[in-house]
Amino acid sequence: MTATVTATDRRTSLLAMLALLALTACWGSTFFLIKDLLDRVPTLDFLAVRFAIAGVALVLAAPRALGRLSPATRKHTLVLGALYGVAQILQTAGLAHTAASVSGFVTGMYVVCTPLLAAAILHTRITAITWAAVLLATVGLGVLTLSGFSVGYGEAITLVAAVLYALHIVGLGAWSTPADAVGMTTLQVIVIAVICLVATVPDGIVLPATAGDWASLGYMALVVGAMGLLAQTWAQAHLPPTRTAIIMSMEPVFASLFAIWLGGEHVTMRLVVGGLMVLTAMLVVELVPRRHVEGEVPHIAV
């Protein structure tokens, strides 16, 4: 019986890892689309419409999922949605005051913040091999994205966004359960949409004007937004936060690959070296025995 449970746990853990990898690949694919779409639609307007569509789709797909959430789970999910929504706005505001490459690197600091917060909040024991993987992923992100760096207002508020993303990862790891994944995802998306709508309504909402732009927005709302957050919520019911953060650090690697494939960019030594470093960090936490990576994260009740 123990061997069967262990094998089942390993299969579930592998599926969770693959779900997160698929999510980061989808995130990476959106850089190419967003870069083009934001030339015509303001960023906050795009975020508000994107998450509003995702929220409506989730409610229509599973109308009873919200009702099955316990009061405590609803409270936790409201906090998670608020963290993610505010982080989205701060990251967007920071991008207006810093280079996109620097923004990508600073946002990626959630890889460092996640184990620190997991240790402080959940009392998770972070091992030396995990810290080595975190350091390797961070350096790899720097090699991939940075050509120069200075600290100013844009970098500061982007770092706050990274901390909020890390708190979101830690919170999902502590509070999410497979049974509540759909309901938690739906409520998170609704909260994110409301926050973004409140932020952009005073200036009016600009909608896409062409069928192609609506198609891009639909993909980012339904596939990347609704299904992506659902995949993350379900996966984090089976994976500890630090392991999740390191897997998700593959996002800029996928973004670079899609830029080469769809955007005509060239393969560079920085892409190869940085990408291999991030990939190695992910493989380290996946291949070593789990007890040597990070202690099991308890689901906490607050």
Side-chain angles (χ1 to χ4, degrees), residues 116-267:
L116 291 173
L117 292 170
I121 298 172
L122 303 180
H123 307 295
T124 301
R125 185 175 64 88
I126 310 300
T127 63
I129 195 168
T130 304
W131 281 119
V134 167
L135 177 61
L136 186 61
T138 303
V139 175
L141 287 171
V143 173
L144 269 173
T145 59
L146 290 181
S147 56
F149 187 82
S150 62
V151 178
Y153 172 75
E155 291 77 18
I157 61 175
T158 304
L159 181 60
V160 174
V163 173
L164 293 180
Y165 283 133
L167 282 171
H168 180 261
I169 292 172
V170 172
L172 269 182
W175 292 328
S176 62
T177 64
D180 290 332
V182 176
M184 290 185 70
T185 301
T186 302
L187 186 53
Q188 282 184 88
V189 169
I190 291 173
V191 172
I192 296 166
V194 169
I195 289 174
C196 293
L197 283 168
V198 169
T200 194
V201 159
D203 296 326
I205 298 178
V206 177
L207 299 175
T210 67
D213 284 351
W214 275 112
S216 296
L217 185 59
Y219 166 73
M220 288 181 276
L222 300 177
V223 177
V224 184
M227 294 178 62
L229 192 54
L230 176 59
Q232 183 183 356
T233 302
W234 176 83
Q236 286 209 241
H238 303 285
L239 297 175
T242 300
R243 187 175 170 192
T244 296
I246 293 173
I247 295 170
M248 288 167 59
S249 69
M250 283 290 293
E251 178 187 357
V253 180
F254 283 117
S256 298
L257 293 176
F258 276 105
I260 293 168
W261 178 30
L262 300 176
E265 295 189 13
H266 300 292
V267 178

